[in-house]
Coordinates of all heavy atoms in Angstrom, one line a residue:
Chain A
V60 N -12.8 -18.3 -197.2 CA -11.6 -18.9 -197.9 C -10.8 -19.7 -196.9 O -10.3 -20.7 -197.3 CB -10.7 -17.7 -198.4 CG1 -9.5 -18.2 -199.1 CG2 -11.5 -16.8 -199.3
A61 N -10.8 -19.3 -195.7 CA -10.0 -20.0 -194.7 C -10.6 -21.4 -194.5 O -10.0 -22.4 -194.1 CB -10.1 -19.3 -193.3
G62 N -11.9 -21.6 -194.8 CA -12.6 -22.8 -194.7 C -12.5 -23.7 -196.0 O -13.1 -24.7 -196.1
G63 N -11.7 -23.2 -196.9 CA -11.6 -23.9 -198.2 C -12.6 -23.5 -199.2 O -12.7 -24.2 -200.2
V64 N -13.3 -22.5 -199.0 CA -14.3 -22.1 -200.0 C -14.0 -20.7 -200.5 O -14.3 -19.7 -199.9 CB -15.7 -22.0 -199.3 CG1 -16.7 -21.7 -200.4 CG2 -16.0 -23.4 -198.7
P65 N -13.2 -20.6 -201.7 CA -12.9 -19.4 -202.2 C -14.0 -18.7 -202.9 O -14.1 -18.6 -204.2 CB -11.7 -19.8 -203.3 CG -12.2 -21.2 -203.7 CD -12.8 -21.8 -202.4
C66 N -15.0 -18.2 -202.2 CA -16.1 -17.6 -202.7 C -15.8 -16.4 -203.6 O -16.7 -16.0 -204.4 CB -17.1 -17.2 -201.6 SG -16.3 -16.9 -200.0
H67 N -14.7 -15.8 -203.4 CA -14.3 -14.6 -204.3 C -14.2 -15.0 -205.7 O -14.1 -14.2 -206.6 CB -13.1 -13.9 -203.7 CG -11.9 -14.9 -203.6 ND1 -11.7 -15.7 -202.6 CD2 -11.0 -15.1 -204.5 CE1 -10.6 -16.3 -202.8 NE2 -10.1 -16.0 -204.0
R68 N -14.0 -16.3 -206.0 CA -13.8 -16.8 -207.4 C -15.2 -17.0 -208.1 O -15.2 -17.4 -209.2 CB -13.0 -18.1 -207.4 CG -11.6 -17.8 -206.9 CD -10.8 -19.2 -207.1 NE -9.6 -19.0 -206.3 CZ -8.9 -20.0 -205.7 NH1 -9.5 -21.2 -205.7 NH2 -7.8 -19.8 -205.1
I69 N -16.2 -16.8 -207.3 CA -17.6 -17.0 -207.9 C -18.1 -15.7 -208.3 O -18.3 -14.8 -207.5 CB -18.5 -17.8 -206.9 CG1 -17.8 -19.0 -206.4 CG2 -19.8 -18.1 -207.6 CD1 -17.3 -20.0 -207.5
V70 N -18.5 -15.6 -209.6 CA -19.0 -14.3 -210.1 C -20.3 -14.5 -210.9 O -20.7 -15.7 -211.1 CB -18.0 -13.6 -211.0 CG1 -16.7 -13.4 -210.2 CG2 -17.7 -14.4 -212.2
F71 N -20.9 -13.4 -211.3 CA -22.1 -13.5 -212.1 C -21.8 -14.0 -213.5 O -20.6 -14.1 -213.9 CB -22.8 -12.2 -212.3 CG -23.6 -11.8 -211.0 CD1 -23.5 -12.5 -209.9 CD2 -24.5 -10.7 -211.2 CE1 -24.3 -12.1 -208.8 CE2 -25.3 -10.4 -210.1 CZ -25.2 -11.1 -208.9
A72 N -22.9 -14.4 -214.2 CA -22.7 -15.0 -215.6 C -22.0 -14.0 -216.5 O -21.4 -14.4 -217.4 CB -24.0 -15.4 -216.1
D73 N -22.2 -12.8 -216.3 CA -21.6 -11.8 -217.2 C -20.2 -11.4 -216.7 O -19.6 -10.5 -217.3 CB -22.5 -10.6 -217.3 CG -22.7 -9.9 -216.0 OD1 -22.3 -10.4 -214.9 OD2 -23.3 -8.8 -215.9

Side-chain angles (χ1 to χ4, degrees):
Chain A
V60 183
V64 184
C66 23
H67 57 275
R68 294 185 192 143
I69 309 304
V70 301
F71 278 15
D73 62 353

